[in-house]
Amino acid sequence: MQIARTKAEIRKLCTQWRDPATPVILVPTMGFLHDGHLSLMRLARQQAGPEGRVIASIFVNPTQFGPGEDFDSYPRDETRDFDLLRAEGIDAIFAPEASEVYDPEAQTIVETTELAKTLIGKLRPGHFRGVATIVTKLFNIIRPDAAVFGEKDYQQLAVIRTMTRDLDMGIDIIGAPIQREADGLAMSSRNVRLTSEDRAAAPILSRALDQAEAMAPSGITASRLRSHVRAMLEAEPRARVQSVDIRDAATLATISGPLTRPAVILLAVSFGKVFLIDNRVVQPAQEIP
Ligand code: AMP
């Protein structure tokens, strides 16, 4: 008989009993897949190994959209998504209706109290509550060993890592790098909704991040770097700057003085009705322990 005194011990035992040779890896998406999503599928496939299983979910989650946001106009194309996932060798797709996922009588939510209030959480109140709740539900429904999320949604990744840790979910969270179009624009399902003029203007986000990355090691303060990035974005008349922030890359804590540790620059910019985000981790001149 085994006696486990720690969470790690009991989890290890249970994992062994669940057949560690065939891990299950989940990749949650809202569909209308692009190469960014597919890079997550490939990473999951690679991490799962030849015996493992990769499950992709496609669900445009209503509870993470606020009133007046783009839930209704969010692009959808299930047939194409299924073909793309089949070609990637995905083992299963979970693509439920909202009525299947949410019980009208439900009264439980999941929220990362501090992280949900800051940055995108300020621009989109309730967004991260919707994200944390649906991801918890997907984790409970599928019970994966690991799940892959993109660094494109930097704060979302932080919310999910925090939630997984705080609630002892025992699921490995794997981050995947941002995939970009040839002109630098971060891939997004929303890009197809940009007008051709806005599409031509939108790479200003990645150009501003390139400049910031080049300037960061010069010893510039976080506040000055932020002002520089904001000015660059505001010089583009089609861009409506929603927020520019520089935070500690590991904790998302605010910073204003000289960079002493890796920092992340987080952008939220609208073009017409299309809300785009992007980010970049930048390095200080010298890391101070
Ligand atoms: P979404 O369908 O927008 O909810 O995205 C599903 C997953 O794909 C999330 O984990 C995103 O962070 C990730 N993702 C979206 N766009 C990109 C991209 N350009 N590069 C890498 N991952 C991405």
Side-chain angles (χ1 to χ4, degrees):
M1 186 183 75
Q2 310 264 4
I3 297 176
R5 296 285 186 194
T6 65
K7 292 186 277 196
E9 283 165 358
I10 190 68
R11 191 155 275 146
K12 192 165 170 220
L13 267 181
C14 295
T15 307
Q16 283 164 1
W17 290 336
R18 275 195 69 211
D19 193 356
T22 55
V24 172
I25 303 193
L26 171 66
V27 187
T29 81
M30 297 203 298
F32 208 73
L33 303 178
H34 49 67
D35 279 346
H37 294 115
L38 298 184
S39 74
L40 270 55
M41 304 298 160
R42 285 169 206 149
L43 183 59
R45 180 82 275 156
Q46 182 198 327
Q47 296 282 318
E51 302 295 324
R53 305 278 183 212
V54 177
I55 303 178
S57 65
I58 298 180
F59 182 58
V60 185
N61 173 36
T63 67
Q64 70 190 67
F65 289 80
E69 290 186 359
D70 59 349
F71 175 71
D72 291 326
S73 56
Y74 196 86
R76 294 160 167 91
D77 187 344
E78 201 173 84
T79 312
R80 181 173 161 275
D81 287 348
F82 288 4
D83 286 345
L84 287 168
L85 292 172
R86 199 172 293 116
E88 290 298 328
I90 297 307
D91 296 288
I93 298 171
F94 180 54
E97 293 292 333
S99 57
E100 173 69 20
V101 173
Y102 290 109
D103 184 328
E105 307 291 309
Q107 45 180 312
T108 308
I109 52 153
V110 183
E111 188 157 52
T112 48
T113 50
E114 294 308 310
L115 265 178
K117 277 191 261 185
T118 182
L119 299 164
I120 301 276
K122 261 199 185 136
L123 297 172
R124 303 183 69 188
H127 171 69
F128 287 117
R129 184 191 308 144
V131 169
T133 303
I134 188 61
V135 172
T136 301
K137 283 167 73 69
L138 290 172
F139 284 178
N140 285 337
I141 293 164
I142 293 166
R143 300 189 184 270
D145 298 286
V148 182
F149 293 87
E151 289 165 3
K152 157 94 187 321
D153 297 270
Y154 198 91
Q155 187 179 5
Q156 170 175 282
L157 181 55
V159 163
I160 288 162
R161 284 194 199 284
T162 303
M163 169 189 98
T164 312
R165 181 200 68 198
D166 291 352
L167 298 182
D168 299 310
M169 290 179 166
I171 294 170
D172 274 346
I173 304 301
I174 302 166
I178 303 177
Q179 302 298 311
R180 298 179 177 281
E181 304 289 355
D183 61 6
L185 179 64
M187 290 179 182
S188 165
S189 305
R190 291 187 167 101
N191 290 350
V192 293
R193 297 187 48 235
L194 292 166
T195 64
S196 56
E197 293 83 0
D198 288 341
R199 174 65 189 80
I204 187 67
L205 274 76
S206 61
R207 283 206 301 278
L209 292 171
D210 290 343
Q211 274 219 5
E213 187 176 15
M215 291 168 77
S218 69
I220 189 171
T221 63
S223 333
R224 291 196 58 169
L225 192 55
R226 177 172 179 264
S227 306
H228 182 83
V229 171
R230 180 174 268 279
M232 217 178 140
L233 294 170
E234 283 174 349
E236 168 50 61
R238 307 194 74 87
R240 204 150 33 85
V241 181
Q242 307 276 0
S243 65
V244 176
D245 289 278
I246 303 195
R247 297 288 179 99
D248 184 285
T251 63
L252 289 183
T254 49
I255 40 176
S256 53
L259 305 183
T260 53
R261 281 202 297 275
V264 59
I265 304 179
L266 299 146
L267 310 182
V269 180
S270 295
F271 289 84
K273 287 188 177 152
V274 185
F275 180 78
L276 300 182
I277 57 171
D278 201 350
N279 69 76
R280 183 82 50 87
V281 174
V282 299
Q283 304 298 329
Q286 256 182 330
E287 207 164 318
I288 300 167

